């Protein structure tokens, strides 16, 4: 068996749980995934993905008129088809997800 080193890291519990659930479905132990991540850092000479702030998915300032109208229409269609939730429920879910 190859020698190994221990890695101790603090991670948000919900992030750990969600990631490990996905890894479990893939049949990959967390330690193997971390080892793969580190190997990719070595191969890529840095993080194996781009690190930047994502564009907000609905940034009105960067939308064309057609894109804006399409987003408004999606909202109207959701309302017409009963795909709505009370605001209190939505905000409660956001608070839970981000531990706010």
């Amino acid at each position: 068996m190859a020698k190994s080193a221990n890695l101790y890291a603090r991670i948000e519990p919900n992030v750990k749980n969600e990631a490990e659930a996905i890894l479990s479905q893939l049949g990959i132990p967390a330690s193997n995934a971390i080892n793969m991540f580190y190997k990719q850092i070595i191969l890529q000479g840095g993080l194996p993905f781009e690190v930047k702030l994502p564009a907000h998915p609905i940034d009105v300032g960067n939308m064309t008129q057609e894109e804006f109208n399409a987003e408004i229409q999606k909202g109207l269609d959701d309302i017409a088809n009963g795909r709505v939730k009370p605001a209190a429920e939505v905000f409660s879910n956001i608070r839970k997800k981000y531990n706010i």
Side-chain angles (χ1 to χ4, degrees):
M1 182 174 189
K3 291 183 180 181
S4 64
N6 291 328
L7 171 69
Y8 299 97
R10 297 183 65 80
I11 187 165
E12 296 172 28
N14 60 322
V15 171
K16 177 183 178 288
N17 293 336
E18 287 183 41
E20 286 182 355
I22 293 167
L23 290 171
S24 177
Q25 290 175 350
L26 296 170
I28 301 171
S31 59
N32 288 16
I34 293 167
N35 197 42
M36 291 182 338
F37 176 62
Y38 271 48
K39 286 182 179 184
Q40 284 299 309
I41 290 172
I42 294 165
L43 289 170
Q44 300 290 326
L47 292 175
F49 47 82
E50 193 172 358
V51 179
K52 67 178 187 175
L53 294 174
H56 190 280
I58 301 177
D59 184 352
V60 177
N62 292 324
M63 287 182 161
T64 65
Q65 186 65 47
E66 292 77 23
E67 291 169 330
F68 177 78
N69 290 342
E71 287 300 322
I72 295 297
Q73 189 60 52
K74 283 183 205 175
L76 292 171
D77 292 344
D78 283 344
I79 293 168
N81 292 305
R83 293 186 300 260
V84 297
K85 292 183 181 180
E89 179 183 338
V90 173
F91 287 116
S92 174
N93 291 341
I94 291 170
R95 286 186 198 97
K96 285 177 190 172
K97 182 172 182 172
Y98 295 102
N99 296 317
I100 299 173

